[in-house]
């Protein structure tokens, strides 16, 4: 499976902060926002990843992530000149996807849950159609809302409905088989002139090949696209990290635990980030998992 991080757009909900910097480079507690969706793809075992962003923001994202080799990844980059809908990611990334299945994650979404690794591993295998993820919210009229039958098959999708049929918002993580590229290429733009991801999902639903996985209780999902939601996400991460002594979306640790890099390589990455607490943590994880300094 290939991965795409969609980190485009102008971040207008965060103006004036994003007039000079990509939203995905803003901090959520102690790390850049893009680390959170990137770590999701890594936890799914995905190593070939395309980052899509604006021409202005791509150089800074490349400076941060490089080619991904230090994390055992293969990261490529592609430009999106104007935000014309989420489904545009599959047209831009068509060569990257090729004949593989693909996971699309939005660059401003934060996910956290103790069983997230197991859930991802179960669902990335042999994707036939599309797999969406639902999260119960108290205000579903603000989101894309999914309704399923007893088997979890999608039966309806609505964008910001006045009278929602369920409380399950569709989050910014999507799994598709290889047909998604052709589906996206044949979409008609919406009234807003955009290629809507909901229209892609409806094609799969009409084929009987769309299902929804509930994230449920004990899981956290945040769309960190406004000042308020970024602050809430930072507070959530800070509280958990301080209480538990572990770091969420530490990409160096994820790479080590997934077997993408060895403890010695992880320790070298931590040393480059010292004397920050983050760098010390990376070194400590490497030593815990087998690296012997000196």
């Amino acid at each position: 499976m290939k991965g795409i991080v969609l980190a485009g757009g102008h971040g207008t909900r965060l103006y004036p902060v994003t007039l000079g910097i990509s939203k995905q480079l803003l901090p959520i507690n102690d790390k850049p926002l893009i680390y959170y969706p990137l770590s999701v793809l890594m936890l799914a075992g995905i190593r070939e990843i395309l980052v899509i962003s604006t021409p202005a923001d791509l150089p800074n994202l490349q400076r941060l992530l490089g080619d991904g080799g230090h994390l055992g990844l293969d990261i490529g980059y592609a430009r999106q000149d104007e935000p014309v809908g989420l489904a545009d990611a599959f047209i831009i990334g068509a060569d990257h996807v090729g004949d593989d299945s693909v996971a699309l994650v939005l660059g401003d979404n934060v996910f956290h849950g103790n069983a997230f690794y197991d859930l991802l591993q179960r669902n990335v295998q042999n994707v036939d159609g599309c797999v969406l993820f639902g999260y119960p919210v108290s205000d579903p009229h603000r989101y894309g809302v999914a309704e399923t039958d007893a088997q979890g098959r999608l039966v309806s999708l609505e964008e910001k409905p006045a009278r929602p049929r369920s409380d399950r918002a569709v989050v910014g993580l999507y799994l598709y088989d290889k047909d998604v590229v052709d589906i996206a290429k044949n979409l008609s733009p919406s009234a807003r002139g955009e290629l809507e991801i909901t229209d892609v999902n409806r094609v799969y639903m009409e084929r009987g090949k769309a299902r929804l996985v509930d994230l449920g209780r004990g899981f956290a999902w945040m769309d960190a696209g406004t000042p308020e939601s970024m602050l809430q996400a930072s507070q959530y991460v800070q509280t958990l990290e301080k209480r538990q002594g572990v770091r969420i979306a530490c990409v160096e640790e994820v790479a080590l635990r997934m077997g993408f890099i060895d403890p010695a390589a992880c320790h070298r990455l931590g040393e480059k980030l010292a004397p920050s607490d983050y760098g010390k943590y990376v070194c400590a994880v490497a030593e815990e998992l087998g690296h012997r300094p000196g």
Side-chain angles (χ1 to χ4, degrees):
M1 175 174 279
K2 302 290 180 59
I4 296 177
V5 180
L6 184 55
H10 300 302
T12 54
R13 293 184 295 170
L14 287 161
Y15 277 179
V17 176
T18 47
L19 289 174
I21 188 171
S22 167
K23 170 175 58 177
Q24 283 76 25
L25 294 175
L26 294 174
I28 297 297
N29 194 34
D30 59 351
K31 60 192 76 69
L33 173 55
I34 198 170
Y35 275 26
Y36 295 84
L38 178 62
S39 68
V40 170
L41 298 181
M42 295 170 69
L43 286 170
I46 298 170
R47 302 176 73 166
E48 295 179 64
I49 297 169
L50 180 70
V51 176
I52 298 175
S53 192
T54 67
D57 292 330
L58 277 175
N60 288 329
L61 290 167
Q62 287 177 289
R63 190 173 298 114
L64 174 68
L65 301 174
D67 64 4
H70 60 295
L71 298 172
L73 306 176
D74 179 4
I75 298 179
Y77 299 87
R79 57 187 285 170
Q80 183 184 48
D81 294 321
E82 291 295 332
V84 291
L86 303 186
D88 187 43
F90 302 114
I91 299 174
I92 294 172
D95 289 341
H96 171 70
V97 176
D99 290 327
D100 291 321
S101 55
V102 61
L104 172 68
V105 63
L106 303 189
D108 59 2
N109 276 214
V110 175
F111 299 87
H112 179 253
N114 289 334
F116 198 29
Y117 168 80
D118 293 333
L119 182 144
L120 289 171
Q121 292 296 314
R122 285 198 303 271
N123 286 285
V124 298
Q125 305 298 324
N126 302 315
V127 174
D128 181 19
C130 81
V131 180
L132 309 179
F133 295 86
Y135 187 78
V137 294
S138 59
D139 50 353
H141 60 277
R142 294 179 51 210
Y143 302 94
V145 176
E147 181 186 15
T148 64
D149 62 17
Q151 286 73 44
R153 289 190 297 264
L154 213 60
V155 296
S156 75
L157 272 173
E158 299 176 287
E159 279 295 325
K160 299 181 180 179
R163 296 181 179 179
R165 297 183 182 182
S166 82
D167 65 350
R168 286 175 289 181
V170 177
V171 306
L173 174 63
Y174 315 85
L175 309 180
Y176 297 100
D177 63 18
K178 64 182 179 64
D179 291 345
V180 70
V181 172
D182 287 336
I183 291 172
K185 287 180 177 179
N186 287 290
L187 284 182
S188 298
S190 67
R192 297 187 300 175
E194 297 186 354
L195 300 178
E196 303 284 358
I197 198 75
T198 298
D199 291 335
V200 171
N201 298 334
R202 285 196 180 111
V203 171
Y204 280 107
M205 181 178 69
E206 290 165 2
R207 294 178 179 179
K209 288 191 169 185
R211 61 187 179 91
L212 185 81
V213 175
D214 278 311
L215 297 178
R217 292 185 178 183
F219 198 93
W221 165 66
M222 288 157 279
D223 173 4
T226 67
E228 181 182 18
S229 60
M230 289 197 82
L231 178 60
Q232 290 173 345
S234 290
Q235 291 172 333
Y236 172 84
V237 172
Q238 182 187 45
T239 298
L240 279 185
E241 291 187 345
K242 185 174 182 180
R243 288 182 178 178
Q244 298 181 359
V246 298
R247 276 178 158 74
I248 299 169
C250 173
V251 292
E252 296 84 1
E253 179 180 10
V254 175
L256 176 57
R257 294 188 182 276
M258 291 297 297
F260 299 167
I261 60 175
D262 61 28
C266 183
H267 198 273
R268 288 193 294 272
L269 294 176
E271 289 175 335
K272 291 180 180 179
L273 299 170
S276 71
D277 288 340
Y278 184 93
K280 293 174 183 176
Y281 175 81
V282 173
C283 287
V285 168
E287 292 168 15
E288 175 191 345
L289 296 181
H291 178 72
R292 296 182 179 180

